[in-house]
Amino acid sequence: MKSFRTDLHVHTVLSPCGDLEMSPGNIVLTAIRHGLDIIAITDHNSTKQCETVWKLGQKLGLTVIPGCEITSREEVHSLALFADFDALAVFQEFLDQHLTIISNNTKIFGYQLVVDENENIHEEIDWYLGASLDVSIEEVERKVHELCGIFILAHIDRPRNSIFSQLGFIPPELKVDALQISKLADEKGIREKYSIKPEITLVKFSDAHYPGDLGKTFTLFEMENPTFNELRKALMGEDGRRVHIPEASPKPPPKEGA
Amino acid sequence: MKVSELVEKLGLTVYSGQNGLDREISGGYVSDLLSDVMGNASEGMVWITLQVHQNVMAISSLKDLAAVILVNNLEPQENTIGHSNEENIPLLGTNLPAFEIAGKIYQLLV
């Protein structure tokens, strides 16, 4: 079993709040330089930047999982990760169908750009991607699972846009594959504070909006290969796979020039 | 004032929880963050919100609130209605936004 440094919550220039330096090339190179093995691209309510990052990852040796950070009607943020681009395309249709359309004010919210691998602007999204969908968190979860995706509640310890801030507690019918805690959170403290059962997996990701965020926060996935199915197994604790949040983020391994 | 009187005076829609219409109102609270309501609302209040999720009723029951009023003509989710009936806490609706309905209730109560 190998150990993979994994960060499944990363924004790009497509997210209004994502830094303009978060181009596909910069993300992949920075992630590799800082010792990450697997990342997921999770822009707010859009999947349109995933493929370019994935292609660059293929070329340069970084596993990139396509995904999204979704805002439900309760304004709860969750992460969806998909095994392939067919599922991702269906999910994009779901987003297009349900996102509340508010025009984007770049002065307030920032630019929302889809760029190619050479950082040429391919598309600028005119409506605000930080708006919410008109569907409940349960409907989002059902859609993700219908498409055989992984569903994770995002930054559950944050005072806004978390399941606990918006809805007080995790609705009993909601099927979560894991809960993501934010970079400074302490796993044990969070489990106690929110009475999270031991069988629910916690993971820690960066929620990176700037290149400097990459590599500092990750979860170790102990599994055979850096694939989607192995990730799922590790989250479920199946076949000896497991996840482990490092106590304090250690220095990156000597992987310079990789 | 009882919830039933409030319904009558303001022409509120009663979605569910009819058995709780004789609950006595102690005051009101306006919030869309359920964590905030858990911390700051108190017994007997009417809660004005745009959240239609079933957790609204669980928290109303936890805090022993008198009723929930959904604003802007928003309709509750089906399981929210179910919980309201189980808990006997009326789930009400208005076409007014939170500011206006809160103002009207404030005038009636204070």
Side-chain angles (χ1 to χ4, degrees):
Chain A
M1 217 69 79
K2 295 169 208 151
S3 187
F4 296 91
R5 291 185 178 215
T6 304
D7 182 3
L8 301 178
H9 191 166
V10 175
H11 292 270
T12 77
V13 286
L14 176 54
S15 291
C17 44
D19 192 54
L20 285 175
E21 292 296 311
M22 290 297 262
S23 66
N26 234 349
I27 289 171
V28 172
L29 290 173
T30 311
I32 293 172
R33 199 179 311 131
H34 291 275
L36 292 174
D37 300 301
I38 306 169
I39 64 166
I41 296 304
T42 53
D43 283 308
H44 290 292
N45 302 307
S46 177
T47 65
K48 291 189 172 180
Q49 194 69 77
C50 293
E51 199 166 349
T52 309
V53 187
W54 176 82
K55 277 185 186 155
L56 275 173
Q58 291 285 99
K59 215 185 273 183
L60 300 169
L62 178 75
T63 301
V64 177
I65 305 292
C68 185
E69 179 173 20
I70 305 114
T71 311
S72 72
R73 73 179 300 175
E74 305 88 6
E75 300 197 354
V76 175
H77 287 187
S78 59
L79 304 174
L81 308 169
F82 296 100
D84 55 61
F85 287 97
D86 290 341
L88 194 76
V90 177
F91 195 71
Q92 181 61 50
E93 281 171 26
F94 176 80
L95 295 169
D96 290 339
Q97 200 182 334
H98 293 290
L99 183 66
T100 309
I101 300 299
I102 299 168
S103 72
N104 187 37
N105 182 331
T106 52
K107 283 202 188 97
I108 297 172
F109 301 127
Y111 290 98
Q112 304 180 144
L113 308 173
V114 181
V115 300
D116 67 17
E117 59 181 287
N118 300 315
E119 303 188 7
N120 297 313
I121 297 170
H122 204 69
E123 188 182 350
E124 177 169 2
I125 309 291
D126 294 329
W127 54 92
Y128 176 50
L129 292 174
S132 67
L133 304 196
D134 63 1
V135 289
S136 69
I137 187 72
E138 285 91 345
E139 286 168 276
V140 174
E141 177 259 308
R142 280 198 294 271
K143 189 70 193 177
V144 175
H145 283 143
E146 189 186 299
L147 294 167
C148 300
I150 291 173
F151 178 80
I152 298 174
L153 290 172
H155 41 63
I156 58 159
D157 51 304
R158 275 200 4 198
R160 53 178 195 273
N161 299 125
S162 78
I163 191 82
F164 293 113
S165 73
Q166 305 308 110
L167 287 177
F169 60 95
I170 300 176
E173 291 92 348
L174 195 67
K175 295 187 184 75
V176 298
D177 298 316
L179 307 176
Q180 181 228 320
I181 59 176
S182 37
K183 56 184 170 192
L184 297 175
D186 145 66
E187 177 174 6
K188 201 165 155 247
I190 296 286
R191 282 197 186 273
E192 276 166 25
K193 183 175 177 190
Y194 298 109
S195 311
I196 296 165
K197 292 178 199 142
E199 62 267 28
I200 296 181
T201 304
L202 291 194
V203 284
K204 185 184 274 197
F205 301 136
S206 70
D207 196 355
H209 287 75
Y210 299 88
D213 298 335
L214 290 165
K216 289 182 186 147
T217 310
F218 53 85
T219 295
L220 294 168
F221 277 62
E222 291 170 19
M223 53 195 192
E224 286 297 332
N225 302 300
T227 61
F228 185 83
N229 278 336
E230 286 284 302
L231 285 174
R232 184 204 299 284
K233 279 188 182 177
L235 288 173
M236 304 297 154
E238 285 171 15
D239 300 339
R241 277 81 168 156
R242 53 175 223 129
V243 301
H244 171 67
I245 300 174
E247 285 284 328
S249 294
K251 290 235 168 357
K255 229 182 150 181
E256 296 291 330
Chain B
M1 182 184 291
K2 284 186 192 307
V3 174
S4 54
E5 291 171 62
L6 194 73
V7 168
E8 203 178 307
K9 289 200 161 98
L10 298 176
L12 304 172
T13 307
V14 180
Y15 291 114
S16 52
Q18 280 83 354
N19 290 343
L21 286 171
D22 59 350
R23 282 172 178 264
E24 198 65 37
I25 298 168
S26 67
Y29 197 73
V30 187
S31 182
D32 302 317
L33 290 184
L34 276 62
S35 51
D36 170 53
V37 176
M38 274 167 97
N40 298 314
S42 41
E43 194 185 324
M45 284 182 166
V46 285
W47 172 15
I48 300 164
T49 184
L50 52 69
Q51 294 275 18
V52 297
H53 192 272
Q54 59 159 322
N55 278 18
V56 164
M57 295 321 302
I59 288 177
S60 302
S61 164
L62 177 80
K63 303 297 289 191
D64 205 9
L65 302 183
V68 175
I69 303 177
L70 302 180
V71 298
N72 288 354
N73 258 335
L74 286 163
E75 288 191 13
Q77 288 176 202
E78 215 167 292
N79 45 17
T80 312
I81 290 177
H83 285 292
S84 154
N85 286 330
E86 280 164 31
E87 306 289 348
N88 295 323
I89 298 175
L91 185 53
L92 313 171
T94 174
N95 56 352
L96 297 175
F99 177 78
E100 289 180 37
I101 194 72
K104 286 181 192 279
I105 293 172
Y106 188 87
Q107 280 183 331
L108 288 173
L109 292 182
V110 180

